[in-house]
Amino acid sequence: MSKLASNLQIDSARLWSTIHDTAKFGATPKGGVRRLTLGPEDKLVRDWFRAACEAAGCEVQIDALGNMFALRRGRDMSKPPVGLGSHLDTQPTGGKFDGVLGTLAALEVLRTLNDASIETELPLCVANWTNEEGSRFAPAMMGSAAYVGDFTVEDILSRKDAAGISVAEALDSIGYRGDSAVGTQKFTSFIELHIEQGPILEAESKAIGVVDSGQGVLWYDGKITGFESHAGSTPMQLRRDALATLSEIVLAVERIAIELGPNAVGTVGEAVIAAPSRNVIPGEIAFTIDTRSADAAIMDALDQRIRAAAAEIATRRKVEVALDLLWRKPPTRFDPKLVDAVEIAAKELGYSNRRITSGAGHDACNLNTKMPVAMIFVPCKDGVSHNELEDATQPDCSAGANVLLHTVLALAGVAK
Ligand code: GLV
Ligand code: MN
Ligand code: MN
C-alpha cells in the first residue's frame, strides 16, 4: 500500500459535524432522535444521504424494501464491492449514534478516499439498511433479513405497524420502494462500525472493540385473555386478571434470564391493555418478550423455560396465554479472517482494543450467513443506548472510522 494510503486518516471534524447536522432530522427536546423507520423524518435523512453519496460520486440504488446502496467504483468492476454501513432509523426515544455512526462513517471513508484521490482495487458500497430497529415494524433488521432470505419480500411488505400501516404502504408514502430486486446487490465482504451499546469498552478504557460474535435473539408476541369485570364488586378469588398475569410473566422472564445468566437477558418491552379503565379488571393484554444469549443451548433453555412458566401461570390463574415466536436469530460468529483484519487495523493505528461479543443485534449479524462479515465497536457513555442520552466522544468515533477506513482498504486493496 502506498505511503499516502497507509497514513490516511478520516476528517474527524467533518464526521462529527455530519453526525450532528443529520441529528436534526427527528431531533427531540432532550437531545435525542426520534426517526422511526419509513416515517417522514426517515425520508428526510434518506434524501440527505442519497444527495451526499451522489455528491461523493456514487451511484445510488434502492431496492424493493428501501435498502439503499451507494456504489463507489473500483479499478476491478468484475468483482462485488466491499460493503460498509449500518442504519439511519432510530428508536422512538433513540440517540444520535446508534446506526448513524456506522452509516455516516462509511460515507466519511468515501469522502476521505476522494480527497486523497485514492482508487481502490475493488469497488466499495455504502449501505443504509431499512428498519434495523424493529420498533415500528417487527422483526428488527428487516431489510438485511430479507436480503439474506430469512424472510420473503412479500412477507416483509405485509408487516403492519401499530396503526395498521403496512411496510409496503410506508415505503410508497415516502417514495422509497425502489426498483432493484432485494438481494441483487452483492458484496465481497461487509464491515459495520457501531457504538458498543454496553459498558465494557468504557470500563476497560479500550478505544476499539473487535467484534467476533453476537448474541442470538428470540422475539415473541404474547396475548393474555382473562375476563373483564367490575373492579369494585368482583371478589379477589374470582378474578381472571390479565394484568396481574402479565406481572407474573414479567418477573418470570427476569428470574429465568438471571438464573440462566450471565450469558442471558430477557425483557418485556411492550404491553397494551385492550380497553383500559381504572374500574375494570383488565381482560386482554398484548405484550412482547425479547430474550437473548450468545449460546445456542441457553437460547433453547430460555425458550423452554419461558414457555413453561407462562403455561403454569396461565393454568393457575385460569386465563389463556398465547406466545407466538415471531423471530429467532441464532448466535453469530463473525468471519475469523475479517475479525483479524479489524484487529490488525486497530493495532497498526495504535488504538487499544479487545475482542468483544455484541449484545445488540445488527444487520451485520444477518449478512454474516451469506458473506464474510465483521464489526468494529467504539465505547459509548456509561454504556447507555436506546435512550436519548446516548453519547460517544469525537475521538472515539473518529478512531472507529479510521479502523473502518483501514480495514476497508486492506480488503478492497489500493489500485496501483
Ligand atoms: C436492535 O437495536 C436490537 O438489538 O434489538
Ligand atoms: Mn443499531
Ligand atoms: Mn438500536
Side-chain angles (χ1 to χ4, degrees):
M1 204 181 287
S2 69
K3 212 164 172 185
L4 172 67
S6 50
N7 289 333
L8 201 60
Q9 300 262 315
I10 59 100
D11 182 334
S12 176
R14 179 170 57 192
L15 172 64
W16 197 242
S17 63
T18 310
I19 290 170
H20 287 84
D21 289 350
T22 54
K24 68 177 182 246
F25 302 121
T28 63
K30 284 191 192 161
V33 180
R34 177 187 172 88
R35 201 155 62 213
L36 297 185
T37 195
L38 306 181
E41 296 83 11
D42 191 22
K43 174 185 165 39
L44 291 174
V45 78
R46 283 166 175 267
D47 290 349
W48 178 92
F49 178 68
R50 173 158 48 182
C53 291
E54 284 170 354
C58 296
E59 187 193 327
V60 179
Q61 297 277 344
I62 295 157
D63 76 14
L65 288 177
N67 293 316
M68 300 176 73
F69 302 110
L71 184 73
R72 181 182 195 264
R73 298 181 69 80
R75 195 199 60 80
D76 180 0
M77 291 302 290
S78 69
K79 300 207 180 68
V82 171
L84 59 166
S86 188
H87 61 96
L88 291 171
D89 65 319
T90 77
Q91 290 287 327
T93 48
K96 294 190 191 79
F97 297 90
D98 176 0
V100 175
L101 172 63
T103 316
L104 298 185
L107 170 64
E108 176 54 38
V109 165
L110 301 197
R111 289 171 161 178
T112 301
L113 294 175
N114 287 351
D115 291 349
S117 302
I118 290 177
E119 182 185 30
T120 49
E121 186 65 16
L122 298 187
L124 305 180
C125 182
V126 174
N128 171 36
W129 299 99
T130 294
N131 186 29
E132 194 276 349
E133 293 294 4
S135 46
R136 180 176 176 194
F137 300 103
M141 294 144 236
M142 176 180 261
S144 55
Y147 175 91
V148 298
D150 285 353
F151 298 91
T152 65
V153 173
E154 293 66 37
D155 178 9
I156 294 297
L157 287 171
S158 71
R159 300 290 173 118
K160 292 200 163 110
D161 69 5
I165 298 169
S166 69
V167 169
E169 288 163 340
L171 281 166
D172 288 339
S173 74
I174 64 161
Y176 271 88
R177 199 187 318 199
D179 302 332
S180 53
V182 174
T184 49
Q185 175 62 63
K186 301 292 183 217
F187 297 100
T188 295
S189 53
F190 196 93
I191 304 286
E192 181 171 353
L193 166 65
H194 208 283
I195 54 167
E196 179 199 340
Q197 306 183 276
I200 297 169
L201 296 176
E202 187 181 57
E204 296 185 10
S205 299
K206 300 281 195 237
I208 296 293
V210 178
V211 189
D212 56 10
S213 50
Q215 291 201 105
V217 185
L218 296 163
W219 272 16
Y220 306 83
D221 275 338
K223 188 172 168 196
I224 302 170
T225 311
F227 192 76
E228 284 180 356
S229 62
H230 198 293
S233 54
T234 312
M236 296 309 287
Q237 65 278 15
L238 294 185
R239 297 174 178 221
R240 294 164 60 207
D241 184 331
L243 186 55
T245 305
L246 179 63
S247 308
E248 282 206 52
I249 292 175
V250 171
L251 294 178
V253 168
E254 182 185 57
R255 176 177 42 77
I256 291 164
I258 291 170
E259 284 171 7
L260 291 171
N263 293 320
V265 288
T267 307
V268 174
E270 289 182 39
V272 179
I273 301 174
S277 170
R278 76 172 70 211
N279 51 359
V280 177
I281 296 161
E284 193 178 302
I285 294 188
F287 68 102
T288 62
I289 301 175
D290 170 323
T291 183
R292 310 187 189 203
S293 175
D295 180 325
I298 294 177
M299 282 181 71
D300 288 342
L302 284 163
D303 180 57
Q304 186 263 320
R305 288 189 55 184
I306 288 172
R307 285 180 187 282
E312 185 279 321
I313 295 163
T315 307
R316 179 161 42 75
R317 287 184 167 272
K318 299 188 176 58
V319 301
E320 278 175 34
V321 177
L323 276 189
D324 177 19
L325 180 66
L326 76 106
W327 185 37
R328 182 188 184 101
K329 170 82 191 133
T332 300
R333 292 223 66 90
F334 288 120
D335 183 83
K337 284 207 182 86
L338 252 73
V339 175
D340 286 349
V342 170
E343 191 170 67
I344 289 165
K347 280 186 181 157
E348 285 182 350
L349 288 160
Y351 297 130
S352 58
N353 63 86
R354 61 160 281 164
R355 299 265 170 146
I356 193 165
T357 297
S358 175
H362 298 286
D363 296 303
C365 301
N366 283 338
L367 302 176
N368 189 57
T369 58
K370 289 283 186 282
M371 66 191 82
V373 172
M375 291 190 73
I376 303 158
F377 274 179
V378 294
C380 58
K381 189 167 184 302
D382 302 327
V384 169
S385 184
H386 286 192
N387 187 310
E388 291 159 284
L389 298 178
E390 180 185 88
D391 203 3
T393 68
Q394 182 176 346
D396 284 342
C397 291
S398 301
N402 278 321
V403 174
L404 179 67
L405 168 68
H406 284 276
T407 306
V408 162
L409 280 175
L411 297 174
V414 175
K416 297 284 172 298

